[in-house]
Amino acid sequence: MSSEFDLIQIEGGNVQIFDSSSDLRFDVGYIDSEEVEIRWMIKDEGITRYDGKSEFQSETNEWERIPIHHHVISPCRCVLIIDVIVEEQRIHREFGIISAGQTSSHNSSENWVIVPKNPVSSIDQQIVDITYIQDGAITDFDVRWGIQSSQASESDCLDGLHDSPSVEQWIVVENTFNSTEFSIVQDLSSFGDGWWTILVQQGLDGNWSSWIGCTDIRLDITSPSIDLSAPSKVPESSVPVVIDASSSSDSFWGREELRYIWTITEMNSSNVARTSVGESDGLFNLSAEDSGTFVVNLTIVDQVGHTNSTSVTIDIVNQRPNAALRIDGVPTNDGETIRLSNKDGWAIDAYYSTDTSNDVASLDYVWYLDGMPILSGIERTLERPENDAVQHTLMLVVTDDDGEVDSSSLMFGVIDTPSDPEIQGSSMVLLTGALGSIIIILIAAYLLMFMRQDRVPVVRPWDFQSQKELESEATSSRTESESN
């Protein structure tokens, strides 16, 4: 589609003088639609003199010309309005000035006419350059402009003419002008977003025209604000992470027309950043299937192209699996000792093992018997070991897709074999009982000996030297008796 400002080209210019009835030819730029309609009207100080529609003439490849009925409008300094309607929506308006018959003196600004050439419906810059057209002044003249707030549906700007402006301050343009078409630079930076009406007057020596040209604008010079909410750390899961920017908004225009552009970059990865346009609700679902550190950047674009960006970093953390071992459908505890039925094999499974929902289906299961890997898979049959004389160790090792590992192990023996935990437990009880009996007997013997020792009478110890002395005394006595 052609640029908004050059969509309509009026042959002979936008300001023309007609001394008699004639036709006004115009061209329309390319429009990518089959439903294009041209409507026009000629107005004299707010009063419509006549109006009509122009049809496209396929034979001549041009639009039907606009008739200028001199006898109908003269004398008049009228405003020509051409509207381009596409699919029942006005996409462009072009103003022209038609002068017919005798008009007021060029030295008097009272009846001068000034209107915007292409009324701009939306402005997204602080400094704008607007083109105006005028008829009446042929020498240097002054221009001033002002601005006042308005409502889209209740504006007093009617077809380029404003009857009762309430401008707080008029700004006089420093330059003077002397042509029917000119541009002025207007600084709108001190005005906030919203609906406004720009008004313009021309004058001479401080005398301003009674005609006040106008155009309603949608002013949008403020970038949208972003309110982004997201967790900084989450576990791996099949449930996505919801990133919420639904509270983002444009200060005046709301959030209905905002566009959300999301870019996902994985840190410390060679993966290419992914960019997508999000839904209008401002919510984005980030996959939590794989662990990693992700930078989520959001750029919001408003209706006129103003942008704002921010980003958050989210760590998606892998969770270690939890190994759970069952034998013949019976859950077991890590580290316990169990008795197995006396048969050739037993069903073993890891169905009670758990992990995050995204990893549980891809877990790797390896089974070890006495430290040696023997089986893999979530469900298998454990064959009976050849050696029934000793107990055996069964261990399950569960590994997820990130290499995180957990295990569960147990000791088992077979019922009614030497490895039966109960038989080995009974032998230990007998041995313990025998040792206890021996200890009791020894203690009893010791006590008995101690008690008997207490009942034995005290016997004087045998004194060999004393006995010899007694025997010697007795011999001496006997010798003395014999001598007498």
Side-chain angles (χ1 to χ4, degrees), residues 120-342:
V120 183
S121 59
S122 181
I123 294 179
D124 59 5
Q125 302 176 18
Q126 296 181 351
I127 308 297
V128 295
D129 192 347
I130 300 180
T131 299
Y132 296 91
I133 55 176
Q134 67 87 24
D135 183 51
I138 59 174
T139 59
D140 290 350
F141 59 90
D142 299 319
V143 175
R144 70 177 184 176
W145 67 276
I147 187 170
Q148 65 183 41
S149 62
S150 65
Q151 297 292 330
S153 59
E154 301 178 1
S155 174
D156 291 327
C157 179
L158 302 175
D159 300 325
L161 173 64
H162 203 295
D163 289 331
S164 55
S166 56
V167 178
E168 293 184 1
Q169 181 180 6
W170 288 94
I171 301 172
V172 179
V173 181
E174 294 181 358
N175 300 333
T176 58
F177 305 90
N178 56 16
S179 62
T180 58
E181 182 175 316
F182 59 93
S183 297
I184 60 175
V185 176
Q186 294 169 272
D187 185 355
L188 306 179
S189 60
S190 60
F191 303 98
D193 290 359
W195 293 104
W196 299 88
T197 299
I198 295 180
L199 304 107
V200 63
Q201 275 182 302
Q202 59 183 151
L204 184 65
D205 298 330
N207 297 314
W208 300 100
S209 63
S210 57
W211 181 287
I212 301 175
C214 63
T215 180
D216 290 324
I217 64 168
R218 178 188 185 279
L219 186 61
D220 187 352
I221 58 178
T222 304
S223 297
S225 62
I226 297 182
D227 187 349
L228 190 61
S229 175
S232 60
K233 189 174 184 179
V234 295
E236 274 188 356
S237 173
S238 59
V239 179
V241 181
V242 178
I243 304 173
D244 188 354
S246 61
S247 295
S248 302
S249 182
D250 209 349
S251 58
F252 181 86
W253 302 108
R255 55 182 303 270
E256 287 74 15
E257 300 297 330
L258 296 180
R259 288 182 296 148
Y260 302 83
I261 301 174
W262 301 88
T263 300
I264 312 302
T265 304
E266 184 177 2
M267 297 180 65
N268 304 317
S269 171
S270 59
N271 294 334
V272 179
R274 309 186 305 273
T275 299
S276 61
V277 178
E279 300 294 334
S280 59
D281 58 6
L283 301 178
F284 182 81
N285 292 330
L286 175 66
S287 172
E289 295 279 347
D290 300 311
S291 60
T293 300
F294 299 87
V295 177
V296 181
N297 179 270
L298 170 62
T299 298
I300 293 184
V301 185
D302 68 11
Q303 188 175 5
V304 298
H306 295 310
T307 64
N308 198 355
S309 298
T310 191
S311 62
V312 294
T313 300
I314 300 175
D315 286 323
I316 299 178
V317 182
N318 182 58
Q319 301 294 297
R320 194 176 79 170
N322 180 37
L325 187 159
R326 295 196 309 173
I327 298 183
D328 285 342
V330 179
T332 64
N333 295 319
D334 184 35
E336 74 173 321
T337 300
I338 64 173
R339 305 172 71 212
L340 295 183
S341 57
N342 196 331

Side-chain angles (χ1 to χ4, degrees), residues 29 61 64 68 151 199 235 239 303 310 340 362 397 410 414 420 438:
N61 198 32
E64 185 179 4
I68 304 299
Q151 297 292 330
L199 304 107
V239 179
Q303 188 175 5
T310 191
L340 295 183
S362 61
V397 176
L410 55 81
V414 180
D420 187 343
I438 293 172

